[in-house]
Amino acid sequence: MTLALAESCTGGLLSSRITDVPGSSEYFLGSIVAYANGVKVSGLGVRAATLRRYGAVSKETAAEMARGVKNRLGAGLTAGITGIAGPGGGTPEKPVGLVYIAVSKGRTTIVKRFVFKGGRKSIKKQSTEAALLMLAEALGIKS
């Protein structure tokens, strides 16, 4: 099973954690860090209409990121992460710490919503921990 990632708020941290493991080159194809909305559209195929309607931090965008990186890199298992790591950028509807993570395997895409607490680095770390757990679950690995 090959793996590819689409990261926004984690800025490549999940990819770094994957490649910290010796032998990851056997299954990890690569990642697209799509921090700007334009890169989400051009690099991942996220629909501009999705961004306008739901915003960059939404379950819809996370799902399109995961499916988009699958289409671009051809991996069997993918993840998309988008959120607000802070310290600014939050609103009452979308607070700092809000993160959506999508995992796509085959024709199935699962999206989970999280609200993490702490500073920017902590939120990024918690986001990658949650993504790693979701990827493990998609592979049938018990945590």
Side-chain angles (χ1 to χ4, degrees):
M1 178 71 63
T2 55
L3 173 66
L5 305 170
E7 299 186 63
S8 185
C9 65
T10 50
L13 182 60
L14 181 57
S15 300
S16 178
R17 294 190 66 187
I18 293 289
T19 59
D20 283 346
V21 178
S24 58
S25 60
E26 294 177 21
Y27 56 87
F28 184 58
L29 300 180
S31 67
I32 297 173
V33 177
Y35 213 64
N37 284 348
V39 179
K40 288 176 181 73
V41 173
S42 66
L44 294 170
V46 172
R47 294 175 299 158
T50 299
L51 293 169
R52 281 192 305 274
R53 183 168 183 188
Y54 302 105
V57 180
S58 65
K59 66 180 180 179
E60 293 82 4
T61 297
E64 288 187 26
M65 288 172 67
R67 289 190 294 263
V69 78
K70 178 183 297 236
N71 292 336
R72 296 298 198 264
L73 300 184
L77 178 65
T78 62
I81 303 176
T82 185
I84 304 168
T91 66
E93 298 81 28
K94 293 185 178 184
V96 169
L98 175 64
V99 176
Y100 289 93
I101 302 171
V103 170
S104 187
K105 180 181 173 196
R107 294 182 179 203
T108 303
T109 301
I110 295 169
V111 183
K112 291 187 181 180
R113 178 186 187 273
F114 301 89
V115 180
F116 299 117
K117 302 292 182 202
R120 184 176 184 83
K121 285 186 179 182
S122 177
I123 289 168
K124 289 172 65 173
K125 184 175 184 223
Q126 290 172 79
S127 298
T128 62
E129 290 288 334
L132 289 169
L133 287 173
M134 287 178 67
L135 289 165
E137 288 172 9
L139 292 171
I141 299 169
K142 305 281 186 210
S143 57

